[in-house]
């Protein structure tokens, strides 16, 4: 595990040389291939050292992080063309990748907290440094304060665990099960805000709308998954109390997911709509983890991977439109099928994956989560039906609104899609729909 960390550390020196933009991207691609060739045990931690280790959950999420980072650089070609602090941008991205890599691979709970919080700083710099509107400062503040206020109790909870157990290794947590309400709330709140759960979700649409394309991609694909990863890891010592308290989070997330799905139909900004759809998807993931059964755990993991690829691809599409029309408003982005018919295909493919159509990973994840939630209580079927139905509804709404209709006569200069953009979209869509052929890695843990 250390070799990848060292590789990223040395990549920091490359990014300050001139004309190294695509070289850094190539290095990430190379690292991706190396990481895929790592031997991994499905049912246990492997590649262990004193600090770092990797199991199936970490492996999938680190793989997703490297993949999305590689695509972020590809999507940000405009920065390189305009020479808009592109070297510092690369430095920022490598720093963020190091933080994420360490968050997913450290074995110590305190270090996990430390890197979990540290990943906030490069994200904040991305939003404030390369965002579009002046409101990005406010969005950065929202992001910072929501996360920090909820994370301080988590730190206290981790110190309490250390006081009780005298160690903080994640692998050893399975020997304990605490039935303490305050500890439960302390440990769980930070992850629910990061997911984000309904009621504490306001920072997400704000941050997405103001962030540059790279910021939106990493926020949607990885930052939301930090919460899910933390819950999967920490829930092992909170099993007893979660049996009596878990229903609260399930109810909030299912009702919130339904309400947010309706809210998607009111959006007039493309990025805002995609951000709200992320909250609706993550609400089912929270429900699945809180039911604490086999289907729920595996389904939440698969949906996190699938949603990471899918929502990142959708943000890329909205950015492709924004670069041409300089607007993300649904009223102005109309009838684009007339201008870019081949881009319309990619809109359709990613929207169909977003509504969990086969053969996407989202379908497999949602089937598992629906199984999990209905076996927990059949009443949840009503909300799940509504969320699934409306997720198809707002995906079709966004597709038909942007692709069909009378196009805006104000578009006087326009250029079609470039090969870089088509490649970028294909690299989002391919793993999302091909990985279902190797679903046994994710679904059959012993």
């Amino acid at each position: 595990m250390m070799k990848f960390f060292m590789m990223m550390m040395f990549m920091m020196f490359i990014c300050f040389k001139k004309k190294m933009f695509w070289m850094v991207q190539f290095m990430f691609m190379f690292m991706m291939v190396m990481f895929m060739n790592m031997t991994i045990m499905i049912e246990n931690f492997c590649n262990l050292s004193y600090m770092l280790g990797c199991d199936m959950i970490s492996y999938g999420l680190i793989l997703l992080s490297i993949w999305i980072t590689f695509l972020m650089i590809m999507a940000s070609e405009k920065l390189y063309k305009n020479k808009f602090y592109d070297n510092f941008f690369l430095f920022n991205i490598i720093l963020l990748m190091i933080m994420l890599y360490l968050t997913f691979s450290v074995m110590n709970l305190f270090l996990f907290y430390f890197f979990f919080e540290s990943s906030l700083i490069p994200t904040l710099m991305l939003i404030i440094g390369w965002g579009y509107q002046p409101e990005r400062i406010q969005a950065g503040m929202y992001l910072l304060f929501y996360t920090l206020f909820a994370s301080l109790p988590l730190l206290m909870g981790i110190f309490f665990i250390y006081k009780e157990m005298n160690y903080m290794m994640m692998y050893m947590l399975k020997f304990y099960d605490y039935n303490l309400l305050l500890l439960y709330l302390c440990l769980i709140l930070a992850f629910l805000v990061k997911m984000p759960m309904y009621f504490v979700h306001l920072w997400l649409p704000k941050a997405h709308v103001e962030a540059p394309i790279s910021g939106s991609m990493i926020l949607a694909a990885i930052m939301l998954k930090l919460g899910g990863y933390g819950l999967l890891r920490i829930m092992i010592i909170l099993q007893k109390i979660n049996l009596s308290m878990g229903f609260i989070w399930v109810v909030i997330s299912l009702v919130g997911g339904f309400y947010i799905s309706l809210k998607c139909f009111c959006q007039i900004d493309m990025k805002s709509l995609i951000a709200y759809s992320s909250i609706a998807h993550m609400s089912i993931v929270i429900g699945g983890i809180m039911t604490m059964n086999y289907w729920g755990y595996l389904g939440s993991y698969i949906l996190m991977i699938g949603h990471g690829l899918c929502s990142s691809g959708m943000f890329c599409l909205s950015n492709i439109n924004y670069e041409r029309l300089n607007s993300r408003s649904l009223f102005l982005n109309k009838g684009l099928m007339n201008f870019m018919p081949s881009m319309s295909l990619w809109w359709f493919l990613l929207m169909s994956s977003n509504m969990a159509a086969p053969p996407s990973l989202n379908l497999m994840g949602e089937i598992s989560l629906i199984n999990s939630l209905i076996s927990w209580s059949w009443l949840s079927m009503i909300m799940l039906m509504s969320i699934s139905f409306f997720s198809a509804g707002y995906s079709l709404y966004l597709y038909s609104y942007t692709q069909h209709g009378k196009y805006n006569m104000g578009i006087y200069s326009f250029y079609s899609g470039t090969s870089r953009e088509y490649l970028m979209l294909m690299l989002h869509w391919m793993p999302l729909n091909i990985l279902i052929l190797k679903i046994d890695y994710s679904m059959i843990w012993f």
Side-chain angles (χ1 to χ4, degrees):
M1 297 300 286
M2 200 65 179
K3 56 181 175 282
F4 296 105
F5 173 63
M6 294 309 291
M7 181 176 175
M8 284 184 281
M9 287 298 284
F10 286 116
M11 274 166 70
M12 281 185 161
F13 300 111
I14 300 178
C15 68
F16 285 115
K17 284 185 74 64
K18 282 199 171 87
K19 296 188 177 171
M20 279 291 172
F21 196 79
W22 301 119
M23 182 64 189
V24 172
Q25 192 206 17
F26 174 75
M27 295 285 279
F28 272 119
M29 191 166 70
F30 181 61
M31 195 163 89
M32 177 81 189
V33 174
M34 276 169 55
F35 196 79
M36 281 169 78
N37 284 331
M38 250 174 63
T39 48
I40 190 91
M41 282 158 63
I42 289 184
E43 72 279 2
N44 230 323
F45 281 97
C46 59
N47 298 307
L48 282 168
S49 67
Y50 185 66
M51 257 174 51
L52 304 173
C54 188
D55 71 339
M56 196 62 214
I57 307 175
S58 307
Y59 180 72
L61 288 166
I62 292 170
L63 216 51
L64 179 68
S65 304
I66 302 171
W67 190 245
I68 293 296
T69 313
F70 155 68
L71 290 169
M72 274 163 71
I73 299 172
M74 193 187 269
S76 305
E77 192 221 18
K78 202 174 179 186
L79 294 179
Y80 179 60
K81 224 184 322 189
N82 297 341
K83 294 279 173 268
F84 186 51
Y85 300 104
D86 48 314
N87 289 354
F88 183 52
F89 173 76
L90 286 178
F91 175 77
N92 220 346
I93 282 186
I94 295 169
L95 188 64
L96 180 56
M97 184 61 227
I98 289 172
M99 296 303 177
L100 290 171
Y101 178 75
L102 290 169
T103 309
F104 290 131
S105 58
V106 287
M107 301 288 292
N108 186 309
L109 263 181
F110 174 70
L111 286 174
F112 165 69
Y113 169 82
F114 180 78
F115 292 118
F116 174 80
E117 285 307 309
S118 304
S119 59
L120 196 66
I121 298 160
T123 317
L124 194 67
M125 283 155 75
L126 274 177
I127 292 174
I128 291 175
W130 288 272
Y132 301 122
Q133 280 92 15
E135 288 87 39
R136 62 181 184 265
I137 309 288
Q138 188 194 4
M141 285 299 159
Y142 265 55
L143 173 69
L144 199 64
F145 282 100
Y146 262 88
T147 311
L148 284 180
F149 271 118
S151 297
L152 282 171
L154 171 66
L155 184 63
M156 310 308 270
I158 289 171
F159 285 158
F160 175 80
I161 290 170
Y162 183 57
K163 180 176 156 290
E164 290 290 305
M165 304 198 308
N166 289 321
Y167 51 76
M168 290 188 283
M169 298 303 284
M170 283 183 187
Y171 190 71
M172 303 294 185
L173 292 180
K174 61 185 179 186
F175 300 119
Y176 283 84
D177 193 0
Y178 287 106
N179 198 1
L180 303 168
L181 178 61
L182 199 59
L183 178 70
Y184 175 70
L185 290 174
C186 282
L187 290 175
I188 220 167
L189 194 64
F191 302 128
L192 291 177
V193 169
K194 204 76 167 178
M195 286 291 279
M197 186 183 72
Y198 184 68
F199 287 133
V200 282
H201 68 283
L202 279 175
W203 63 270
L204 186 77
K206 267 251 184 277
H208 270 309
V209 170
E210 304 307 327
I213 174 61
S214 50
S216 283
M217 283 168 76
I218 202 79
L219 265 172
I222 316 295
M223 291 310 202
L224 271 63
K225 314 302 173 279
L226 285 173
Y229 174 77
L231 281 179
L232 288 172
R233 286 276 188 246
I234 212 83
M235 205 46 85
I236 198 161
I237 57 168
L238 302 170
Q239 291 178 41
K240 201 176 287 176
I241 188 162
N242 197 58
L243 288 173
S244 55
M245 300 297 292
F247 76 96
I248 299 171
W249 315 114
V250 178
V251 170
I252 289 175
S253 38
L254 285 179
V255 175
F258 167 63
Y259 177 65
I260 287 286
S261 301
L262 292 178
K263 192 107 179 75
C264 283
F265 290 100
C266 310
Q267 302 305 312
I268 52 167
D269 186 311
M270 280 195 290
K271 257 192 173 180
S272 188
L273 199 154
I274 301 165
Y276 275 114
S277 78
S278 292
I279 301 169
H281 280 111
M282 285 294 112
S283 67
I284 312 180
V285 170
I286 296 173
I289 295 171
M290 290 301 172
T291 52
M292 282 201 317
N293 56 25
Y294 189 74
W295 279 102
Y297 263 47
L298 302 187
S300 59
Y301 171 69
I302 291 168
L303 191 60
M304 283 195 291
I305 302 283
H307 173 264
L309 290 161
C310 181
S311 66
S312 175
M314 281 157 62
F315 279 116
C316 283
L317 280 167
S318 76
N319 183 64
I320 288 167
N321 282 11
Y322 179 75
E323 281 180 357
R324 285 155 176 74
L325 279 82
N326 286 319
S327 167
R328 289 189 306 262
S329 167
L330 281 174
F331 300 130
L332 296 178
N333 284 275
K334 271 180 154 183
L336 293 177
M337 199 184 262
N338 300 307
F339 293 108
M340 290 192 288
S342 31
M343 196 62 81
S344 192
L345 170 71
W346 288 108
W347 270 98
F348 174 74
L349 289 173
L350 282 160
M351 286 301 152
S352 62
S353 296
N354 191 47
M355 64 170 95
S360 66
L361 278 179
N362 294 36
L363 174 77
M364 195 70 217
E366 282 197 20
I367 287 172
S368 309
L369 289 168
I370 288 168
N371 252 326
S372 152
L373 283 157
I374 289 177
S375 66
W376 177 78
S377 162
W378 64 268
L379 278 171
S380 62
M381 199 192 297
I382 304 157
M383 281 302 163
L384 284 167
M385 277 163 55
S386 313
I387 292 171
S388 295
F389 175 72
F390 285 120
S391 85
Y394 56 70
S395 300
L396 288 170
Y397 166 73
L398 181 54
Y399 174 76
S400 55
Y401 221 104
T402 50
Q403 302 307 308
H404 297 286
K406 195 173 188 317
Y407 60 85
N408 177 13
M409 286 302 199
I411 312 172
Y412 55 89
S413 66
F414 202 86
Y415 60 99
S416 191
T418 59
S419 54
R420 172 188 62 86
E421 288 164 345
Y422 290 128
L423 175 65
M424 183 170 67
L425 293 169
M426 194 185 84
L427 290 175
H428 277 110
W429 186 82
M430 284 285 279
L432 178 60
N433 288 273
I434 299 298
L435 278 176
I436 200 151
L437 300 175
K438 286 305 285 177
I439 206 73
D440 48 332
Y441 278 144
S442 316
M443 289 300 278
I444 309 172
W445 297 348
F446 301 105

